[in-house]
Amino acid sequence: MKRIFIIEDDPDVSLLIKDVFEANAVEAVFFSSSPLALKEIKKQRPDIIIMDLMMPNISGFEVCQYIRADLKLKDILIMVITGYDSPKMRKDIFSYGIDDYLPKPFDVKVFMEKVNRFLK
Amino acid sequence: MSIKTRLFTAFGVLVVLVLSISLIFVSYTYQARMLLDKSLLLSETLTSWREISLSYERQTRNVSYFIILNDSTEKDKFDEQYDSIQAKLKKIDNSKEKEKFLLFYIKYIDMCKTMFSSSRERRFNYYEENIMPLEKQVLKDVTKTIDDYYALLNSYEATVKNVSRRNAIISISFGLIAVLVGIVLGIITFTAIWVPLTALIKGTQVIGEGNLDYRITVNPNNEMGKLALSFNKMVDNLRKLQLQVVQMDRMSSIGQLAGGVAHEINNPLTGVLGQAQLLLEKLPKDDPSALHLQRIEQAAQRCRKIVRALLDFAREKNYIYQPTNIETLINETLNFCETEMRSSNIEVSKIIPMKLPPVKVSSSHIQQVFLNIVNNSIHAMIPNGWGKLTIEVKTNNNMVDISFKDTGIGIKKDNVGHVFDPFFTTKDIGKGTGLGLTVSYGIIQKHNGEVIAKSEGEGKGAEFIIRLPI
C-alpha cells in the first residue's frame, strides 16, 4: 500500500479529495498546513504527495525544493493542484521537478486518472 | 499667402522704394550741382566782361584825353588798360563774342597806335573818321555781351530754383509714399501674424487648462495655420493617449481584481464541481435527483470557464516579439475555423499585398486576437445561414492594418463603444464570457497598436481593424 500525503489549506478542496478517495478506496493523510506536513514527510517518507502550490508560510514550490534536495526523499512522486494556470506556471512547475500538475477546478475523473497512474 | 512670402515681399518692396528714392535724390542733387557750377562759371565770365568793359571805357577816355591834352601819360595809362584787358580775356573761355571782340579790339588798338604816332594836327581827324565808329561798335558789342550773359545767368538762377523746388517736392512725396507703404505692409504682416498668434495663445491656454476637446481654428494656408494644425494633431493624440491611459488603467485594475477573485473562487468551485461529479457517480442513473445534480455540475463548469477567461485576461503572459508573416498567421487562424465556416456556409475572401513586410509581434497572442475576431464574425453570421468574411491587409506609414469585415448581424450603434468592455457580451448566456475582445484589446495595446470596431448598425455587418506598427 502506497503512502499518500495531501497538503491543502482550503477545506473545500481537501474535503473533496477526502470524499473522492473514500469513494475510490484510497487512503491518504491530510495536512492543512505545509510546515506540519514537512515535519511528517521527514518522519514518514510518503510515496506520493499531492499539494496546493499557493500556501501560507511555506509554498508548494519550497516544499518541493526541500524534498528534491534530500537524498532520502527525492524519489517521492509529487503532484500539484493550483488555481493559477498559465504556460509560465507550467514551465515553473516542471523546472522544480514536479511530476504532475492539475489546474483547479478539476474534473474528479481526471484527478483520479492521474492519482491511479501514480499508484501503479 | 505664407508669412514668409509676406515678409519677403514687404522687405523687398521697402528696399526697392528706398533704393529708388535714393537714386532719384542723388541724380537730382547731381543735376542741381551741375547747374550751380555752370551759373558760377557764368557769373565769373560776366564779372570778367564787366571789368573788360570798364577797362575799355577807361582806354577810350585815355585816347580822348591824349588827343585833347596831348599828355603822354595818357598813352601809358592806355597801355596799362590794354594789359589788363588782355589778362581778363585770358580768363574767359573761347566763344563767338570773344573772337568778335578780339577782332575789333585788335583793329582798334592798331588804329590807336597809328594815331599816337601821327602828328597832333591829324590826330583829331583820324580819330573822328576811323577810331570813333569802331570805338562805339566795340562798346556796343561789349555791352550786348554783358547783357546777354546777365540774362543767361538770370535764367540759370531761375532754373536752379525750380529744380531745387521740384527736388524737394519729389523727395517729400516719395518719403510719404515710403511711409504709407511701410504702414500698409506693416499692418498686413502684423495681422497675418498677430491674429493667428492670439488664436494660438488662447488655444494653448484653454488646452493647457485641460480642455482637450478644444481645437484651434486658424487660416490653414500659412505657417501659423500649419502650426495650429500640428498643435491640433498633438491634442488629438494627447486625447487618444488619455483615453488609452484611462482604458489601460481600468483594464489593469480590473485585471488585478479579476485575478484575485478568480483564484479565490477556484477553491470553492473545485468543491462544488467535484462534489457534484462525485455524487453523480454514486447515484443510480434513474434517480430523479441526478438531473438536478447535472445542472449543478453544468453551472459549475460554466463558472470554471468564466474564471479561466478571467485569469487569462489578468495574467501577464510571456510576450515573445519576433518578425512574423501576418499572412501565415491569418491562414493558420482560418485553418482552425475551417470546419465551422464550411458548415455555416461562410465564404472567405482575402486581399493581401504580395510583398507584405514581416511584423514584429508575439505571434501566439496575435493569433489569439485573430481567432477571437474570426470566431465572433462566424457567430455573427450563423443566424443568417450564410456569410462572407473579407480579410484585407494594408500597409501605410510604418503601420499595417488588418481588417476583418463580415456580413453578420452587426453591432447596435449604442454598443459599438462597449465591445471592448470587460464582461460585455450579446451572446446567449453561457456562450460568451464577455472577455474575448477585452483580452484582444489588451494584447493589441501591448503591441503599441490599435483595434477599432466599426458597424453601420444592426444587420449591417461589422468590421474590426487591427493596426500594428511594422
Side-chain angles (χ1 to χ4, degrees):
Chain A
M1 191 75 176
K2 287 190 174 172
R3 205 194 307 268
I4 304 175
F5 274 20
I6 310 286
I7 315 167
E8 169 62 78
D9 63 334
D10 189 272
D12 286 328
V13 182
S14 63
L15 271 176
L16 174 74
I17 296 173
K18 215 175 251 178
D19 291 345
V20 174
F21 278 5
E22 217 178 86
N24 289 277
V26 178
E27 274 184 34
V29 187
F30 287 80
F31 297 94
S32 61
S33 95
S34 44
L36 200 75
L38 212 55
K39 252 189 218 166
E40 289 306 308
I41 289 168
K42 274 188 270 181
K43 259 194 230 166
Q44 300 185 27
R45 200 209 170 269
D47 301 296
I48 302 163
I49 296 173
I50 298 169
M51 62 178 167
D52 191 9
L53 266 183
M54 301 300 158
M55 289 182 291
N57 299 323
I58 302 172
S59 79
F61 282 131
E62 284 162 330
V63 173
C64 186
Q65 259 177 328
Y66 181 85
I67 291 170
R68 291 293 182 242
D70 192 308
L71 278 175
K72 276 184 203 162
L73 306 175
K74 73 178 170 68
D75 294 328
I76 298 175
L77 291 169
I78 303 172
M79 177 163 95
V80 292
I81 41 179
T82 177
Y84 286 111
D85 175 26
S86 73
K88 188 182 175 288
M89 187 66 117
R90 268 173 243 178
K91 225 166 105 187
D92 284 350
I93 284 169
F94 291 107
S95 73
Y96 277 92
I98 292 167
D99 299 288
D100 209 346
Y101 141 89
L102 191 62
K104 285 187 218 173
F106 48 79
D107 287 318
V108 172
K109 250 187 214 164
V110 179
F111 175 69
M112 270 320 292
E113 272 168 23
K114 286 186 185 279
V115 173
N116 281 329
R117 222 169 23 228
F118 276 1
L119 286 174
K120 270 177 197 168
Chain B
M1 201 195 280
S2 72
I3 291 172
K4 194 174 144 193
T5 333
R6 251 179 231 216
L7 283 174
F8 270 118
T9 317
F11 188 70
V13 167
L14 278 178
V15 165
V16 168
L17 215 63
V18 167
L19 271 179
S20 49
I21 290 169
S22 318
L23 216 70
I24 290 165
F25 203 73
V26 166
S27 75
Y28 281 170
T29 314
Y30 182 73
Q31 197 188 0
R33 186 148 173 204
M34 292 287 285
L35 284 168
L36 209 69
D37 282 352
K38 249 183 185 168
S39 69
L40 266 173
L41 203 72
L42 269 177
S43 71
E44 269 173 31
T45 316
L46 184 66
T47 315
S48 300
W49 278 114
R50 271 193 182 139
E51 282 166 0
I52 288 168
S53 153
L54 274 173
S55 300
Y56 181 68
E57 273 173 35
R58 275 186 206 127
Q59 254 185 336
T60 55
R61 268 199 302 278
N62 292 138
V63 171
S64 307
Y65 292 151
F66 180 76
I67 295 165
I68 299 161
L69 302 170
N70 193 24
D71 184 357
S72 64
T73 53
E74 291 302 324
K75 215 164 78 181
D76 296 339
K77 282 178 190 167
F78 178 90
D79 288 339
E80 262 173 45
Q81 293 308 329
Y82 172 76
D83 290 342
S84 163
I85 285 172
Q86 285 301 333
K88 294 278 179 313
L89 275 171
K90 261 179 203 161
K91 277 188 192 170
I92 297 171
D93 291 335
N94 286 331
S95 63
K96 239 193 261 170
E97 295 88 1
K98 191 179 165 183
E99 272 171 36
K100 199 181 168 192
F101 174 78
L102 272 171
L103 196 75
F104 288 107
Y105 182 63
I106 288 162
K107 210 173 162 185
Y108 169 76
I109 295 293
D110 286 345
M111 282 177 172
C112 286
K113 278 182 179 165
T114 316
M115 185 210 58
F116 289 148
S117 57
S118 62
S119 61
R120 204 179 164 186
E121 298 78 35
R122 288 185 63 195
R123 277 179 201 156
F124 189 73
N125 276 344
Y126 186 78
Y127 174 75
E128 222 174 30
E129 281 165 21
N130 298 310
I131 296 175
M132 213 162 75
L134 193 63
E135 198 181 83
K136 276 181 187 161
Q137 179 61 44
V138 170
L139 201 63
K140 208 174 126 194
D141 282 351
V142 170
T143 314
K144 192 180 175 283
T145 306
I146 287 170
D147 286 349
D148 285 351
Y149 271 102
Y150 194 71
L152 200 63
L153 189 66
N154 273 343
S155 84
Y156 258 99
E157 270 172 1
T159 316
V160 168
K161 242 184 224 167
N162 274 341
V163 166
S164 307
R165 205 169 51 210
R166 193 185 62 189
N167 283 2
I169 290 169
I170 288 172
S171 300
I172 290 169
S173 40
F174 264 95
L176 280 177
I177 289 171
V179 168
L180 271 176
V181 169
I183 289 171
V184 169
L185 287 175
I187 289 170
I188 291 171
T189 315
F190 181 76
T191 47
I193 296 170
W194 184 250
V195 173
L197 196 64
T198 324
L200 270 172
I201 292 168
K202 196 192 157 206
T204 47
Q205 269 171 353
V206 173
I207 292 160
E209 279 161 12
N211 181 2
L212 294 183
D213 292 322
Y214 189 85
R215 292 292 176 275
I216 300 164
T217 42
V218 167
N219 171 22
N221 293 330
N222 60 28
E223 289 89 338
M224 285 290 180
K226 280 173 198 156
L227 183 65
L229 276 182
S230 303
F231 196 83
N232 284 343
K233 217 172 178 181
M234 188 185 81
V235 179
D236 278 343
N237 284 336
L238 212 62
R239 177 126 195 83
K240 228 185 258 171
L241 212 65
Q242 192 197 37
L243 286 176
Q244 274 176 13
V245 168
V246 168
Q247 183 83 342
M248 268 161 76
D249 203 35
R250 224 167 76 196
M251 292 289 175
S252 90
S253 40
I254 287 170
Q256 279 168 7
L257 183 72
V261 170
H263 184 239
E264 287 307 310
I265 283 176
N266 263 339
N267 282 330
L269 192 60
T270 310
V272 174
L273 183 69
Q275 296 292 0
Q277 285 173 345
L278 207 59
L279 202 54
L280 264 172
E281 268 176 40
K282 275 186 187 169
L283 281 183
K285 287 252 159 67
D286 52 354
D287 193 295
S289 303
L291 184 71
H292 299 294
L293 266 175
Q294 268 168 7
R295 284 180 186 156
I296 292 174
E297 198 232 342
Q298 276 165 8
Q301 292 285 17
R302 221 182 96 206
C303 281
R304 173 155 87 167
K305 216 163 128 188
I306 294 169
V307 169
R308 187 145 299 167
L310 267 175
L311 279 170
D312 273 342
F313 167 60
R315 196 177 302 125
E316 271 292 307
K317 282 164 273 188
N318 275 346
Y319 280 77
I320 302 156
Y321 295 95
Q322 273 173 332
T324 308
N325 186 333
I326 293 292
E327 188 173 4
T328 315
L329 221 53
I330 291 172
N331 289 338
E332 279 173 13
T333 310
L334 291 173
N335 283 343
F336 278 126
C337 316
E338 204 190 342
T339 326
E340 203 173 357
M341 285 202 278
R342 203 183 302 142
S343 65
S344 312
N345 200 15
I346 289 164
E347 182 197 329
V348 178
S349 103
K350 287 181 286 181
I351 309 164
I352 299 169
M354 289 291 280
K355 281 180 188 166
L356 193 64
V359 184
K360 217 171 177 187
V361 293
S362 176
S363 56
S364 61
H365 291 95
I366 295 297
Q367 182 148 55
Q368 190 186 341
V369 175
F370 286 177
L371 204 59
N372 188 267
I373 291 174
V374 171
N375 266 328
N376 282 349
S377 286
I378 294 170
H379 286 134
M381 290 189 280
I382 286 174
N384 295 343
W386 71 279
K388 188 178 173 184
L389 175 65
T390 312
I391 303 171
E392 191 176 358
V393 182
K394 274 190 230 165
T395 54
N396 56 350
N397 295 336
N398 293 326
M399 295 297 268
V400 59
D401 279 8
I402 308 139
S403 149
F404 297 84
K405 197 172 185 180
D406 66 49
T407 56
I409 54 168
I411 309 163
K412 270 189 200 166
K413 277 241 159 74
D414 293 345
N415 289 344
V416 174
H418 296 292
V419 290
F420 300 110
D421 287 355
F423 306 112
F424 179 84
T425 182
T426 54
K427 289 179 187 167
D428 291 340
I429 289 169
K431 287 263 173 71
T433 57
L435 287 169
L437 282 175
T438 312
V439 172
S440 298
Y441 184 90
I443 291 171
I444 300 298
Q445 287 281 314
K446 266 258 191 247
H447 283 78
N448 291 322
E450 258 185 289
V451 52
I452 304 154
K454 281 182 185 172
S455 178
E456 295 291 313
E458 250 184 316
K460 289 177 180 169
E463 185 183 8
F464 282 83
I465 302 164
I466 296 160
R467 188 165 290 163
L468 293 168
I470 295 173

